[in-house]
Amino acid sequence: MANIIKSDLYRFGKSKLLYGIIIFTGVIAFALIMLARQDIRVGISVFGNLTAFKGIDDVIQIGLSYQKGLGIFIAILLSIFIGQEYQWKTWQHKWITNKSRARIYLSKAMLSSAASASIFLIFEVVALLASNQIREILISGYVATVICGLFIYAALGALICMLSMLIKNDIASTVICLCYVLFSETLASVIGNVSSFSETVSRFMGWVIQHSIYGMSTAVSSTIASTNLVLSIIINSLVTMLLSTAIGLTAFRKYEL
């Protein structure tokens, strides 16, 4: 297992796309905070969904809404990284060397979760340091919010890993992962409307949406993170990671490499 992880880390560390996204993430966080400090109001529109930045708190909170920025970078990074294995046909070499599909998959899943959470953390740390209001922000419950965000993005990374591992084409996997990120809000709205024909179905689908990655992101970004909310997000995220990993691993074991 250690050899597989080292191999993935080495290839991941050689990715120019990784460093480009890290730098771009930091620049965006810094630029938005500088504009907020100058009382310059800006807005970002993703498919007509406008998000306005009125202050530093809005910049910090936008990191939690993965579908409005960071999730796009993560989807591109992870889907391309995993898709290259299919493109270069390197799965067979790993299989011959390690004789364990479970270890191959778990290595990708752990790396994906760690990378996703790290990109979110980079954005938040840069925003915090550039804000020049570290003490005030930390007192306002910022740490609890970041903890929730780390687990949400870790779950997002595991889910994107599953989608990328199941789709045997680097371009198709990138498109599917981007669609998941960009249209998660729309999908949740459609599911809610479609299920309204039955109260029982509506309640069940509402529960599913509430416990989805989008639901967790919305809950944390719209309220102050309490102890109960943090625990709920942690448990929910861990369950999401376990389920997506179990589904992806089960399918990956049956694939022809």
Side-chain angles (χ1 to χ4, degrees), residues 82 86 105 160-169 173 244 247-252 255:
I82 295 173
Y86 290 107
Y105 187 96
I160 290 177
C161 174
M162 181 193 74
L163 294 174
S164 300
M165 293 287 278
L166 296 184
I167 302 171
K168 297 183 180 182
N169 183 286
S173 65
S244 59
I247 294 171
L249 180 55
T250 300
F252 184 66
Y255 272 8

Side-chain angles (χ1 to χ4, degrees), residues 36-47:
R37 288 180 61 179
Q38 297 299 319
D39 290 328
I40 300 175
R41 297 187 178 184
V42 296
I44 294 178
S45 177
V46 179
F47 288 98

Side-chain angles (χ1 to χ4, degrees), residues 139-196:
I139 292 175
S140 66
Y142 175 75
V143 174
T145 300
V146 170
I147 292 173
C148 290
L150 286 172
F151 277 91
I152 291 172
Y153 273 86
L156 177 65
L159 188 57
I160 290 177
C161 174
M162 181 193 74
L163 294 174
S164 300
M165 293 287 278
L166 296 184
I167 302 171
K168 297 183 180 182
N169 183 286
D170 55 323
I171 297 176
S173 65
T174 301
V175 171
I176 294 298
C177 291
L178 281 174
C179 286
Y180 169 78
V181 169
L182 291 171
F183 299 112
S184 56
E185 184 175 359
T186 302
L187 180 61
S189 178
V190 170
I191 292 174
N193 292 332
V194 171
S195 62
S196 61

Side-chain angles (χ1 to χ4, degrees), residues 205-216 232 236-237 240:
M205 296 310 299
W207 181 88
V208 171
I209 293 172
Q210 181 184 354
H211 290 80
S212 66
I213 296 175
Y214 169 74
M216 290 189 289
S232 175
N236 204 7
S237 297
T240 301

